[in-house]
Amino acid sequence: LDAGAELAIQYLSRSKNKQASQIATDILGKNPNHPGANYVLARLEWSIGKPDASASYIEKTLEQHPHDDRLLELLAAVRVDQKRFK
C-alpha cells in the first residue's frame, strides 16, 4: 500500500473516522479501484451498520484485486452480518 492508504488505515485503527474517510475518498478520486482506500470506506460503512454499502466497496475492488486477504476477510464478516453465505 502507498503512504496515503496506510495513513487512512492508521486513522481508522484509531477511530479517527472523519480523517480516514477524507483521505480514502481523495485516493478514490484518483484511483477508484484502490484496494486500501476501498478497504477503509468498506470498514467505515460496516461499522455504522451499512453492510450492503460495505460489500459494494469490497466487491468492486475484488474484481481488480481478487487475492487481497484483508478485503476477503472483511467481506466474510460483512456476509455474516448480511446472512449471505454465497
Side-chain angles (χ1 to χ4, degrees), residues 19-54:
Q19 294 94 328
S21 176
Q22 190 171 39
I23 291 169
T25 301
D26 289 347
I27 292 169
L28 290 181
K30 298 171 190 154
N31 179 0
N33 292 316
H34 191 284
N38 276 297
Y39 170 79
V40 168
L41 293 178
R43 287 285 307 261
L44 288 170
E45 294 289 353
W46 184 48
S47 73
I48 61 171
K50 295 183 176 181
D52 292 339
S54 178

Side-chain angles (χ1 to χ4, degrees), residues 4-85:
E6 281 297 332
L7 181 59
I9 290 169
Q10 289 302 313
Y11 277 133
L12 182 65
S13 71
R14 290 172 173 76
S15 298
K16 294 184 177 187
N17 296 346
K18 184 176 180 179
Q19 294 94 328
S21 176
Q22 190 171 39
I23 291 169
T25 301
D26 289 347
I27 292 169
L28 290 181
K30 298 171 190 154
N31 179 0
N33 292 316
H34 191 284
N38 276 297
Y39 170 79
V40 168
L41 293 178
R43 287 285 307 261
L44 288 170
E45 294 289 353
W46 184 48
S47 73
I48 61 171
K50 295 183 176 181
D52 292 339
S54 178
S56 177
Y57 281 111
I58 297 166
E59 290 168 348
K60 178 177 74 168
T61 307
L62 283 173
E63 290 175 11
Q64 300 295 318
H65 305 276
H67 303 293
D68 188 310
D69 290 337
R70 185 176 7 213
L71 288 168
L72 291 168
E73 288 175 15
L74 182 55
L75 182 60
V78 168
R79 290 291 188 234
V80 168
D81 279 356
Q82 293 176 310
K83 296 180 179 35
R84 291 176 51 196
F85 307 105

